[in-house]
Protein backbone atom coordinates (compact mmCIF):
# COMPACT_ATOMS: atom_id res chain seq x y z
CA UNK A 1 0.00 0.00 0.00
CA UNK A 2 3.05 2.25 -0.17
CA UNK A 3 2.10 3.36 -3.67
CA UNK A 4 -1.28 4.70 -2.51
CA UNK A 5 0.43 7.63 -0.80
CA UNK A 6 1.17 9.06 -4.26
CA UNK A 7 -2.32 8.44 -5.62
CA UNK A 8 -4.55 9.64 -2.78
CA UNK A 9 -3.63 13.35 -3.09
CA UNK A 10 -5.05 13.27 -6.63
CA UNK A 11 -8.48 12.65 -5.13
CA UNK A 12 -8.07 15.46 -2.60
CA UNK A 13 -7.00 18.26 -4.94
CA UNK A 14 -10.08 20.42 -5.52
CA UNK A 15 -11.28 21.49 -8.94
CA UNK A 16 -10.65 25.16 -9.78
CA UNK A 17 -13.57 27.52 -9.28
CA UNK A 18 -13.11 29.06 -12.71
CA UNK A 19 -14.78 26.79 -15.32
CA UNK A 20 -12.24 27.92 -17.92
CA UNK A 21 -9.51 26.10 -15.97
CA UNK A 22 -11.33 22.75 -15.72
CA UNK A 23 -9.84 21.45 -18.96
CA UNK A 24 -6.29 22.37 -17.92
CA UNK A 25 -6.85 20.79 -14.52
CA UNK A 26 -8.18 17.55 -15.99
CA UNK A 27 -5.29 17.36 -18.47
CA UNK A 28 -2.74 17.92 -15.70
CA UNK A 29 -4.33 15.24 -13.52
CA UNK A 30 -4.58 12.84 -16.44
CA UNK A 31 -0.92 13.30 -17.38
CA UNK A 32 0.10 12.97 -13.73
CA UNK A 33 -1.77 9.67 -13.43
CA UNK A 34 -0.42 8.37 -16.72
CA UNK A 35 3.18 9.26 -15.84
CA UNK A 36 2.76 7.79 -12.36
CA UNK A 37 1.41 4.52 -13.72
CA UNK A 38 4.20 4.26 -16.30
CA UNK A 39 7.05 5.25 -14.00
CA UNK A 40 6.16 3.76 -10.61
CA UNK A 41 4.09 0.77 -11.78
CA UNK A 42 1.89 0.47 -8.67
CA UNK A 43 0.74 -2.91 -7.45
CA UNK A 44 -2.57 -4.26 -8.69
CA UNK A 45 -4.32 -3.83 -5.35
CA UNK A 46 -3.34 -0.16 -5.09
CA UNK A 47 -4.42 0.52 -8.65
CA UNK A 48 -7.78 -1.19 -8.12
CA UNK A 49 -8.41 0.67 -4.85
CA UNK A 50 -7.61 3.98 -6.51
CA UNK A 51 -9.73 3.29 -9.59
CA UNK A 52 -12.65 2.20 -7.39
CA UNK A 53 -12.40 5.41 -5.35
CA UNK A 54 -12.17 7.51 -8.51
CA UNK A 55 -15.17 5.74 -10.02
CA UNK A 56 -17.26 6.24 -6.88
CA UNK A 57 -16.39 9.94 -6.65
CA UNK A 58 -17.17 10.54 -10.32
CA UNK A 59 -20.30 8.36 -10.30
CA UNK A 60 -21.75 10.11 -7.25
CA UNK A 61 -21.28 13.50 -8.93
CA UNK A 62 -20.13 15.29 -5.79
CA UNK A 63 -18.32 17.85 -7.91
CA UNK A 64 -14.74 16.83 -7.17
CA UNK A 65 -14.31 14.55 -10.18
CA UNK A 66 -11.52 15.95 -12.33
CA UNK A 67 -12.51 13.99 -15.43
CA UNK A 68 -15.69 15.91 -16.25
CA UNK A 69 -18.28 18.26 -14.78
CA UNK A 70 -21.67 16.74 -14.05
CA UNK A 71 -24.48 18.55 -15.82
CA UNK A 72 -26.79 18.39 -12.79
CA UNK A 73 -24.19 19.72 -10.37
CA UNK A 74 -24.31 23.44 -9.73
CA UNK A 75 -21.25 25.59 -9.67
CA UNK A 76 -19.84 26.37 -6.23
CA UNK A 77 -21.21 29.54 -4.61
CA UNK A 78 -17.79 31.15 -4.73
CA UNK A 79 -17.71 30.81 -8.53
CA UNK A 80 -20.38 33.49 -8.86
CA UNK A 81 -18.71 35.86 -6.37
CA UNK A 82 -17.46 38.98 -8.19
CA UNK A 83 -14.94 39.71 -5.43
CA UNK A 84 -12.87 36.70 -6.51
CA UNK A 85 -10.56 37.84 -9.26
CA UNK A 86 -9.64 35.16 -11.77
CA UNK A 87 -6.33 35.19 -13.58
Amino acid sequence: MYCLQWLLPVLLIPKPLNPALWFNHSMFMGFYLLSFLLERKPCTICALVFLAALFLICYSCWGNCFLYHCQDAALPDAAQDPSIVGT
Side-chain angles (χ1 to χ4, degrees):
M1 294 290 181
Y2 171 76
C3 49
L4 269 181
Q5 77 177 355
W6 296 101
L7 289 174
L8 289 180
V10 172
L11 299 176
L12 300 175
I13 296 174
K15 250 194 321 192
L17 292 177
N18 187 353
L21 297 176
W22 288 347
F23 179 74
N24 293 339
H25 178 72
S26 65
M27 292 301 292
F28 173 75
M29 290 296 171
F31 283 133
Y32 174 79
L33 287 175
L34 181 67
S35 64
F36 176 79
L37 293 174
L38 290 175
E39 180 184 349
R40 301 279 178 151
K41 296 180 180 68
C43 62
T44 306
I45 294 173
C46 292
L48 290 177
V49 167
F50 176 75
L51 291 176
L54 182 65
F55 173 75
L56 289 175
I57 287 174
C58 290
Y59 183 73
S60 66
C61 235
W62 281 343
N64 200 23
C65 180
F66 63 87
L67 298 175
Y68 59 90
H69 178 70
C70 298
Q71 298 300 329
D72 298 335
L75 289 174
D77 294 333
Q80 305 299 333
D81 190 5
S83 65
I84 297 176
V85 177
T87 56

